[in-house]
Amino acid sequence: MAGTRFALLILIFAASLGAALAAPGSAPAWGELSAAQRQVLAPLAAEWAKMDGADRQTWVEIAQRHAELTPEEQDRLARRMQAWARLSPEERTRARDQYRALRNMPAERREQLNEEWQRYQNLPPEERRRRRNQGKDE
């Protein structure tokens, strides 16, 4: 389950990078998507016209894999797409940079970070809030 969650997180960050190798004309307009694709990608509808072709193509590929995910993974993907759509351009750039750094670090360090993240996620909400606020004070 943790591996799946980590893979899904990486998939979302990868989507933010865009499909650099996608053919320029291969990214459909919103109206050209199938009904199923529009349903999956609904959190991104308002942003779709502003995206470049590579980003659109990447999201289309994610939508095509959507049916293979468990219902829990599908829900998580939808929430993360909504969160991505709410990010400012600067925040998206920061997320892309963090993805690149994560991708380039050794596998054992990535696994260690994943384990630390899981421990953090298992903390009571008040403890997580305290730790987040503690980091802002420094």
Side-chain angles (χ1 to χ4, degrees), residues 16-74:
S16 72
L17 290 175
L21 300 176
S26 67
W30 186 257
E32 296 171 333
L33 296 172
S34 70
Q37 289 171 323
R38 284 193 305 269
Q39 182 179 1
V40 170
L41 299 172
L44 303 173
E47 299 291 318
W48 195 258
K50 299 174 197 168
M51 288 184 199
D52 65 31
D55 286 343
R56 287 185 196 178
Q57 186 58 39
T58 299
W59 285 112
V60 166
E61 291 169 10
I62 289 171
Q64 290 170 336
R65 290 188 220 110
H66 186 264
E68 300 169 12
L69 301 175
T70 67
E72 295 82 17
E73 291 168 333
Q74 291 174 356

Side-chain angles (χ1 to χ4, degrees), residues 80-135:
R80 290 185 176 164
M81 271 193 275
Q82 291 166 350
W84 181 258
R86 288 190 299 265
L87 293 178
S88 69
E90 295 80 19
E91 290 168 323
R92 290 179 186 183
T93 298
R94 200 166 44 248
R96 288 180 183 112
D97 291 344
Q98 289 173 344
Y99 168 76
R100 286 184 191 106
L102 183 64
R103 183 182 61 192
N104 291 327
M105 74 176 48
E108 54 276 355
R109 178 65 180 134
R110 281 194 310 265
E111 184 59 34
Q112 179 185 7
L113 286 173
N114 189 37
E115 289 169 6
E116 290 173 16
W117 177 248
Q118 292 309 311
R119 282 193 300 275
Y120 174 79
Q121 289 295 347
N122 290 329
L123 291 173
E126 289 182 18
E127 176 64 12
R128 284 185 289 187
R129 193 173 317 123
R130 186 188 67 75
R131 289 185 182 198
R132 279 194 308 269
N133 291 336
Q134 181 181 17

